[in-house]
Every structure is written in structure tokens, then in C-alpha cells.
Amino acid sequence: MNDKERAELENLALQKVAEVSSAIDAARHVDEVICALHSLAALIFSVDSSLVSGAVDQRFKDQILSAKCATDSERGSFRNNFYYGSAFPTMARLLLFEVAPNWLTQFPKSVRSQIYDQFFLEGPSIGVLEELIPILNKKGSDKDPVHDKICSSVERLLVLCYLKKEGIRQMVIEFDLVEKQKGVAVKKDDKNSVSRVAQLLASIPDKIRPQASSKLSSFSFFKEATIQLIAGAEEKSMQLPSVCDTIEKDSPQNYAIFFVGETFSRIIRRGSTDIVVSEMVPRIYDLVKSLLLSYSNASLPSVMESTPKFWFWLYLVETMRDQYSIERLAEGILRQLASRAVTDTEAYWILWLLFNRSYNHTGTIRAMFVDKFILWKVFPVSCLRWILQYSIFEVAPTMEGHVKWQKPPHFVDTLQHLVTIWSKREFVQSSSVEQQAYLTAAVGLCLEKMSKQELETAKDVLSLILQGVSCRLESPIDLVRKMASAIALTFSKAVDPKNPLYLDDNHSDVVDWEFEVLTQKKVIITTSSRKQFINKPKTPLQEKSRENLGDKEAQKSILIEEISDKGVEEDEKDHDSDSSSDSSLEPYDLSDDDSDLNKTFTQLADIVAALRKPDDPDGVERALDAVEKLVRASPDELHHNSSDIVRALVHVRCADVAAEGEEESSEEKRHKALVSLLVTCPFESLDVVTKLLYSSSVDISQRILIIDVMTEAALELSETKIITKEQQRKGNLITSTSQPWFRPGDRGPVGAGPWREVSGPGTSMLQNWSHQYERELPSRPGQRKLGKTRKWSAANSKDLQQEWSKNRFPMYAAAFMLPAMQGFDKKRHGVDLLNRDFVVLGKLIYMLGVCMKCIAMHPEASALAPALLDMIRSRDVSHHPEAYVRRSVLFAASCILVALHPSYVASALIEGNQDISTGLEWIRIYSLHVAESDPDTECASMAMNCLQLHSEIALETSRALESADRMKAQSRTLPSKLDNIIIPFANMN
């Protein structure tokens, strides 16, 4: 068909559209509109005229049945010129803006599908989309019925054309960019037009009305679109040239795959990555699995590049231009593969199929795998293995053993880059535990591939590893120390496989690189686990359990004991035989030589003298055995000797005097002895330990010992002692009978029930100092109603089962806390709590928090809380680079919130006390900051707990203020500082 014929057909199509438009404008009845549309539809596609005529009046039937119908050849030529010229856009606007709002509701359903829907269903999917979507962009009033009908018609056509008819799949096939059949030339599009069509398709869920069909919602539409896009791309890839490498990236032959990639990018940008990945991964997995069953690993690349059904997947990522979408797609694929538990080999070839072409030609894709996915992201360990295998090792897992694997040139450089970051102290301080574990696993997995010779040639790797290990061994967090042990073990195996280095008692030859945090299932921190830190806190520097020895070690110790016992028996037999054979040697009586060695200490002065003799380890050991019992006995001279005993115990070196293997036992005895001294002689002992805490004569281990014993002593002093009323009374004051004087007597009418104690009203918050008793009385003769209950009020305790709380710690709280808080920020000789000795600082703040908890609801809490708040509010403390210190700060803040009584906070606000209100407001602001921005997950969890406690005390304080306002009408007005404490109005539950 020449150009003249094309122009004539296009003009004819426009004339027919103009005739239809004129007929519709002049129509006064719906049948006239149907006849006008039928006259044009019969020229473009096959129409069942008898079906249409049966839906109109008799006067219009002849017009429909006599309408001219084109032949198949004429219909084909006219159709192409109609849809690919200017006639269809004009006709689409006529149908949508004139017919849809005015006449379409009067169409019978069968007629609507024949002469209205067919104009869109028979048209090219791309052209129809370009006409429908812009109409949804036009703004109209929500109450405009015309605009509502137009949008409703467009949404219905979208469901018909692209979901039921699978028009999205047809769009992929239409992007062949060659001359259409029937002799109509089509303008060659470029990539910008392809991107525009992809944008229109992906924007459908954004533009529809809220009352539109659920099939057009984001989830349903994107899921169906993804399925059709993949099906169309796989069908289109079978039409590509026979050799995959002959397809150029920017050639029109690649536009169909480019359209799919662009649409996927926009779907991913809209937060539906999981939908795309869930449809992609099963199909790719089945393809790769079938290849692995039929071919060897070495031949897989050539097979994939020569098989057309793989070409779409080979080109997909390469055609995607949005780097963010590629990154999200890769991340989703990795996590989806981890959830499916695929093998390492299957995962490697899936990554190779999707990303190999882009990885070889695009630097951003290589940086995504090598840098972002290792240094910035956190995946399960299985995903990390696949990332390293594909991007750093660059070899399938099964090929390492069959062929001599040559490490890529960038392998050592990448390892050195990872180790450089891993070894920095700033990384340990500023990164989350999960990120540290992830990078540690990456370094360890790379070290497993190294040999001794390669490590020696690697620049600075050895020194950096030693630096990183030593830095983590100094951390008080157990998990961080485990990371150091794992790297040290892996490194030692690479250097000398026969002599592995174990830094952990509970070691294993196989390193678990998950570290209990890098699993596919995320650990959820529950409220109960957060409360455990407050209600039953562990010491910040958790030592390994000394009692829980493994079965292997227990069996080993038993075996050693048996061997040693047998050796002793054999020696004794040899000695007996030697002595019996030589009659000239007479035995010497040694029965009384060990009397001095078994001497038991009964005087504290002797214990002090023994502890100060490091050259007599047996004497020191026996002194440690006896000191706690003597101190607990509280002899008269204890107050005079307590200071000397404390100094001696702090300075004694248990590791030097204890027998091998008994060091922990000696340390425990010393610890218990110091606790007993602080409990029995608090003031005298505290005066010594608080001075030694910042003394240059003790080291960091001794400072930690002092803080630990202070913590345990505070808990012991605050332990509730249960004293019953029977124990309280030394004897009966009035009578010698067992009946207490404060209980009512048994006198009364016959049939009266026994007395029982009841609680009076309003005793839930305040302690009830007068208890009430009641009993049932029998009814009088002729009285139906039961007798009334008579109540007696007498003593200030419950019956003999009443429990009294005896917390002895509040009177010593100031002696525990105030000296320890003085001078913590001063740098002295051998003392630097804010920097080098941050472990001591963290334990000190933790101890102070425990002390606050021990005086909860006591007046001393309100007196000591401002001083502790001033300490933890210091920027050097609250914003310390070590997460360990920040955890202690949050713990202390939580203890302050628990310890303060709401009535005291209310009275402080009424009196204008700025210390408490400012301190509580600082806790709220600081907790919000930590919860939002702190990299340590434990800190964020504890900050959320602080916010909850703060809201609770604020609520209780507001109630106390309301009560005070009602009861003290004559008092002065409340100060304006009440807004410094945030009063929540939401439901706290």
C-alpha cells in the first residue's frame, strides 16, 4: 500500500468518526446512538448485527441490518489506519466524554459489549492505554456525576482490556518496532516513549477512585501485571535472534525486555518489591534446577547464553536503569531464596543468571554487591555466603574442589578493605550488634579461603586482625567478644591448622557465623524481656558461668582425677614396699607436724595478718575460707577491724595464692567476704571502698570488684525481711493466753460465727493502720433476714500472718551513692573512666541505678535522684561512644522513674522545684533521641521502656495534682512550670 492509499483510508476513517459524532450530537433516543456506533463498528471488526438489532425498536432494526459490512481484507486495512492514525484518539474521546456519561447506562449489556467495549478491546493495548489513563488525571469534583461516570467507564475498560483480556502481556509483544501487517508503517519509538508507557501502566493503582474495583488495587493489579509481563517477555524472547550476544543493549529488538524492566522498576519504587520477587524467584529456580540436573557447572554459562528461554532473565537487570530498584530487587531475591532454603550452588547460578551481564559491564552493580551488601546491609548468613561466593570468590561452590581455583585479582584487596573497617574501634562503637556480626562473618568467611602464604603477602591484614580482635576482647558485651574469638580461631586455622587458637572456654571447631542474630527469623524483643532488665537485671559485664561446665570438660576432669588417684595409690604401694624391704630405716612420727597448717582462724586480726602475707598462699586461702563466717557473726571487734579487712581483701591476689584450677573459688570467697563486710559494717566499709574506687593503687579489675560488691550489698540490705506480729511481740502485754489483746472477744449470742479480718475502704494505696474484724450473727426468733455484721477496729497489723517489710538500705543509700558519684569525670593517674576505663563507668552507673531501685518509694529516693540525674545528664556520659555506657545510663534512668513517688513529683512541681521536673523532661527527650537514632538495638529497646515508665509516672503525677487542686482550694496557684512534664492523655494500656 502506497502513501496515497494510506492517506485516503485515514481520511475515510476520520470522515466516519465525524459522521458518528454528528449523529450522536443530534440523537434524541438511545437507539439512534446505537445505530451510529454500529455503522462504524461494522467497518472495523466483526459485529453480530442480529444481536444488536434485537435490542432496539422496530424502526431502527432495518437500519442496523442494512448497514454496510466490510470484507475481511477491507476491514483489515481500515482497522490499521483507524487505530494507528488520528481517528482512534478522536473516537475514544467521543466514546468516553459523550457516550459514557449520557447514553451508556441505557445500553443493554450485550449491545455495550458489541459496539462500545469492542472499540477498546480490539485496539492495540499500548494505544488504548495512552487514551484511557490521561482521562483519570483530569481533576473533577467528587460530587460531579458526569466526571464520576467517565471515570467509572475508564476503570471498567481497564479491567476488561488489561486483566481479563491479558492486555499487559500483549503490550510486551507489541514492542517489536517493525512494520505492522496490512501495509501500515508505524513510527519507531525510542526508550523515552517506552518509559512513558511503563509509567502509565504502573500508575493505574495511584489514579483510580477509592470506590473502584478491587482488581485495580496495588496488590491485585501489580501481581497480575507481573505475571503477564513475565509471560509476555518469555514469549518475546523466543522471537529474538538465535545468538544472544548479537542483541545490542539499545537495539529496538531489546525494547520489549526494556519495557518489562522499566515497569518492574516503577512497581518496586511503589513498595511492591515482594510481589515482583514472589513471581520471579519460583520461575528462575525451576529453570536453574532443571539445568543443574542435566549439565555440569562448567557448561552452565554457555547453555544459558544459547537457550532462548533464558535470554529474558539474562537481559532483565541490564535493561533496568533505576539503581535503587535494582538494589531492592536484588535484596528481595536474596531474602526470598533464603526463605526457600535453596542450596549454595542453586543460589549462585540464580545470581549469575540475573546479574552477570550487569556485574561485568556496570561498576554500580559491582559496588552494590561488594560494598553495599557487605558494609551497609544486614542479611542472613546464608545470603552473605551467596554474596561472597558470587561477587568476591567468583566461582560456583561445587567448582572449588574440582578445579584449581584461582582467586580473583580483587580478592585480597576486598579482604583488606573489609578488615580495615572491621578493625576500627569507631566501627565497634557506632555500629549495631547485627551490623558488627554481619561484617565479622564476612571477614571470617573470607579468611577461611586464605592460606598462610597469602596472608603473609597481604598488606597489613595481620596487624589489622590483631587490632580488631584486641579491640573486641576489651568490650564488656559478650556477643562482641565472641566475634573476636571466632576471627582469632579462623585466622589461627589459616596460619597453622594443627594448632587452633581458642579464646572461649565453650569453643567449637566449627564457627557459627550467625552469632544468634543473623538468622532469617528476626528476634522480637518483647515487653517481658525488656522488663527483665529492670526487674531482675544482670550485671553489665556478664562473666561466663562458672558452674555450667560442658559434659566434655566434666568428663575430662573426672578422668584426670581418676588418673591422679591411681598414681597416688601406686606411689603409696611402691613406698610401702620400699620401706618394708629396708628394715634399717625407721619411720619418723609426723602426726603433729600439720597442726599449724590446719589451724582455724578465730580472730579478725589474725585474718588481716594472713591476708597480708602473699608469700604464704596456704594461709591466705584459709583466711579466705574463714573471713565471711567471722564477719557474719558480728564480733565486738568487727567495727574496729573492718577497714583493715576491706583493704586486705581488695588488695589480695587470688590468682597468685590459689591452687591451679581454684582461682574462681577463691575469687568467690573474697567477693562474699566483702559483701558481708558492707552489710554488717556499712559506714566503716564504705568509707574505705569509695576511697579505693578512685585510688591509683588499684587496677581496673579491683575497681570492678568494688562496684560489684557494692551492688550485691545494696541488694542484700534492701531484701525484704518478713516479720510476723508474733515475732514482733516479745510477750503478751495483758494476759498470758494465746489470744491477742487487740482481737475482739468470743462473747456473743449462741450460734455466732468466728471473727475474720476484712479490709476497709480506701486501703489499696495507703497502709491501713487500723484493721477491721467481722462475724455473722444468728437471726432473732421470727426474723427472716440474717443478722448484721458487726465490725471491730483494733491493732495496726493483720492477724498473726501480717508481714512487715524491713528494708535497711535507705539509711545507707547516701553513703553508697554520693561518694561514688564524686569525681567520676576527673582524669587521674591510672584512672580515666570517661575514656579508657569505660567499663568501670558503665558498672558504676549500673550500681547507682540498682541503689535507686533499692530505695524506691522512700524519701531518700527524692533526695538522691537529682544528684544521679546530674551525673547521667552529662554529655560525656549520656552520649558516650560505647553502647555499654549508654545502656547503663538508660537503666539508671529507668530506676529513677521507678523509684520516685508520684506524690513527691507533684509536690515538687507545686513548690517550683526545677531539679526534678527538668530531670524528668531530660529523660523523656533523651529516650526519644536514643529510640530514634541509636544504632544499638538494646539501647533503643531500653529507651522505649523508659518512655513507657515516664508516661506512667506522668499520668500518676497528673492525678496527684488534680487531687491536690481539689483539696487545697486556699493554697497558692500552681506554677507555670507544670508543662515541663509531659502528661499523656491517651490510653496507657
Side-chain angles (χ1 to χ4, degrees), residues 549-567:
L549 295 177
D551 296 337
K552 189 174 181 181
E553 293 184 0
Q555 294 174 1
K556 182 179 179 181
S557 62
I558 294 173
L559 181 61
I560 292 174
E561 290 177 359
E562 292 178 353
I563 293 174
S564 61
D565 292 341
K566 290 180 180 179

Side-chain angles (χ1 to χ4, degrees), residues 78 97 260 277 458 532 608 628 674 895 975:
F78 189 83
F97 289 101
V260 177
V277 170
Q532 184 180 6
V608 174
E628 183 188 4
L674 285 170
C895 291

Side-chain angles (χ1 to χ4, degrees), residues 38 43 128 157 163 189 288 494 561 633 646 658 672 682 684 762 842 924:
H38 176 268
L43 298 176
V128 172
L157 290 172
L163 299 183
D189 294 336
V288 171
E561 290 177 359
V646 170
K672 291 181 177 180
E684 296 84 352
R924 187 185 71 86

Side-chain angles (χ1 to χ4, degrees), residues 227-247:
I227 294 173
Q228 292 188 38
L229 288 169
I230 294 175
E234 289 179 336
E235 181 180 348
K236 185 68 179 178
S237 63
M238 303 298 292
Q239 304 173 9
L240 294 176
S242 58
V243 181
C244 180
D245 289 335
T246 61
I247 306 174

